[in-house]
Amino acid sequence: MTMHKIGPVSVDAMLEDLRTLVEVESPSRDLDALRASAKAVAGVIESRLGGQAVLVESEAGPHAHWSAGGDPKVLILGHHDTVFPLGTLQRRPFAVEDGHATGPGVFDMLGGLVQAIHGLAALEDRSGVEILVTADEEVGSRTSRALIEERALACGAVLVMEGAADGGALKTGRKGCGTFEVSVAGRASHAGLEPAAGVNALVEAAHQVLDIAALGRPDIGTTVTPTVASAGTLDNVVPAMATVIVDVRVESAGEKERIEAAFAALTPHLDEAEITVQGAVGRPPMPESASAELFAVATSLLPDVEGKAVGGGSDGNFTAALGVPTLDGLGAVGGGAHADHEYLVVDVMAERANLVAGLVNAIQDA
């Protein structure tokens, strides 16, 4: 293959763009904030790469899509929504100190977006490259999934700019993940005068939590974790309603089917209690086979880089499930995703930008 020229990248320029993006807060579901964030992302893309980044409107906010033109060959995939509420920036402003950049969203995943853009800017030839930055990844990608899948199939290879795994490893596999909500309907009554006249939704929910937790098979990578529960109205009323929210992670399509069938088959323990279940394993598993070819290219470019399968899901799960070669975790090296101590390691920003450039170069010439 003929490798095209890759120019230098500037860490100072990357930090400048990272500050720009971090300082436009972008909590999921806040449409005004996401419109501003999408415009900021588009502005950075256009200033560094030229052309036009098109804003694709959706119920969840605008997705930004940029194409260099030519035959589609590789999709750079990311998201601009973050988990932090408005006002977080005031409490945790963007800063660079002791080799770390900090601020809401630096690691998940604004740093990765900036690195990708600057990596592409260093390429002499960007033909066939597309960038898609979505507005709803943190809340399930409901409005962006079809567009992600369309562009992935058109391009034939996907590089996902989510933050790296521990130690800077690339993410070569991901579990499928989903959320279930189990609602219990009982019957209220006075807890002191006639408790037996009620149907205690909280007691039923307690039975269901034990049944649900027993569905886990950690030995084969399946975790089923009740995470949030609520029930009752007053301390002297038998609760008529209860809800339980459950996080599910699976490594195989067979386990996805088993878990979904098990939730659908949940039955009450108490007479006259009723159960309603909503949810699914919405992100299919990303098998390590989907990343094998691209990971081999990555190790040829950066021999010391490791690959890890991880429990969390990303939009790469969708593209891998289509059979499109997908490599994840190419974004920032750092840690603390979704937490106040979130950080990005500045010293490896240039290395990771160059890795993206090298991967794109190799895909173009394959």
Side-chain angles (χ1 to χ4, degrees):
M1 67 176 66
T2 302
M3 299 294 278
H4 300 286
K5 181 180 177 184
I6 299 176
V9 295
S10 164
V11 174
D12 287 343
M14 282 193 279
L15 290 172
E16 176 187 327
D17 288 344
L18 181 57
R19 176 188 292 274
T20 296
L21 297 186
V22 170
E23 290 184 346
V24 182
E25 293 184 281
S26 55
S28 306
R29 298 192 176 98
D30 187 320
L31 298 186
D32 289 339
L34 290 166
R35 286 189 192 98
S37 176
K39 288 178 182 177
V41 169
V44 170
I45 292 172
E46 291 169 358
S47 70
R48 300 299 179 184
L49 301 177
Q52 182 181 9
V54 176
L55 298 187
V56 181
E57 294 295 334
S58 82
E59 294 175 3
H63 315 306
H65 179 240
W66 177 89
S67 172
D71 233 7
K73 289 188 175 179
V74 56
L75 177 66
I76 306 292
L77 185 56
H79 64 89
H80 64 96
D81 63 319
T82 61
V83 301
F84 301 103
L86 289 180
T88 303
L89 185 67
Q90 185 174 2
R91 181 169 54 85
R92 277 201 300 125
F94 179 79
V96 180
E97 189 175 345
D98 297 329
H100 287 177
T102 55
V106 290
F107 178 68
D108 187 12
M109 61 167 292
L110 302 175
L113 294 180
V114 168
Q115 290 170 189
I117 292 165
H118 282 257
L120 293 178
L123 283 175
E124 184 177 60
D125 176 17
R126 295 190 282 272
S127 61
V129 180
E130 296 188 18
I131 302 174
L132 179 58
V133 186
T134 64
D136 63 350
E137 191 274 344
E138 295 289 6
V139 290
S141 307
R142 185 179 60 84
T143 71
S144 58
R145 180 174 180 175
L147 180 59
I148 292 166
E149 292 177 338
E150 173 197 311
R151 298 323 306 158
L153 287 167
C155 290
V158 178
L159 304 178
V160 185
M161 302 313 300
E162 294 281 0
D166 290 347
L170 303 183
K171 294 173 180 177
T172 52
R174 284 185 177 273
K175 290 185 180 183
C177 52
T179 302
F180 291 82
E181 181 174 308
V182 180
S183 300
V184 179
R187 184 171 60 246
S189 66
H190 195 294
L193 296 177
E194 46 180 4
V199 178
N200 195 316
L202 176 54
V203 172
E204 180 61 53
H207 284 292
Q208 295 300 321
V209 164
L210 295 176
D211 290 347
I212 289 165
L215 296 174
R217 288 282 310 278
D219 56 312
I220 57 171
T222 300
T223 59
V224 181
T225 310
T227 53
V228 180
S230 61
T233 53
L234 294 170
D235 59 4
N236 62 353
V237 177
V238 172
M241 298 295 298
T243 60
V244 178
I245 297 175
V246 187
D247 178 278
V248 171
R249 313 276 165 153
V250 299
E251 286 186 1
S252 69
E255 279 295 274
K256 173 185 185 298
E257 293 168 6
R258 179 183 74 85
I259 290 295
E260 290 177 343
F263 271 92
L266 290 174
T267 54
H269 288 250
L270 304 182
D271 291 342
E272 299 185 76
E274 297 179 359
I275 295 174
T276 305
V277 178
Q278 293 181 310
V281 180
R283 292 185 194 272
M286 173 183 163
E288 292 193 75
S289 57
S291 65
E293 184 180 343
L294 291 173
F295 181 64
V297 177
T299 55
S300 73
L301 296 166
L302 195 63
D304 291 338
V305 74
E306 296 182 349
K308 291 183 181 178
V310 297
S314 81
D315 287 336
N317 291 55
F318 298 135
T319 63
L322 297 171
V324 178
T326 300
L327 184 58
D328 204 338
L330 284 160
V333 175
H338 298 191
D340 278 356
H341 66 279
E342 181 182 22
Y343 70 95
L344 170 156
V345 179
V346 174
D347 284 352
V348 291
M349 291 183 76
E351 178 181 87
R352 290 305 165 105
N354 286 327
L355 177 59
V356 173
L359 282 163
V360 169
N361 210 336
I363 292 166
Q364 287 172 319
D365 292 324

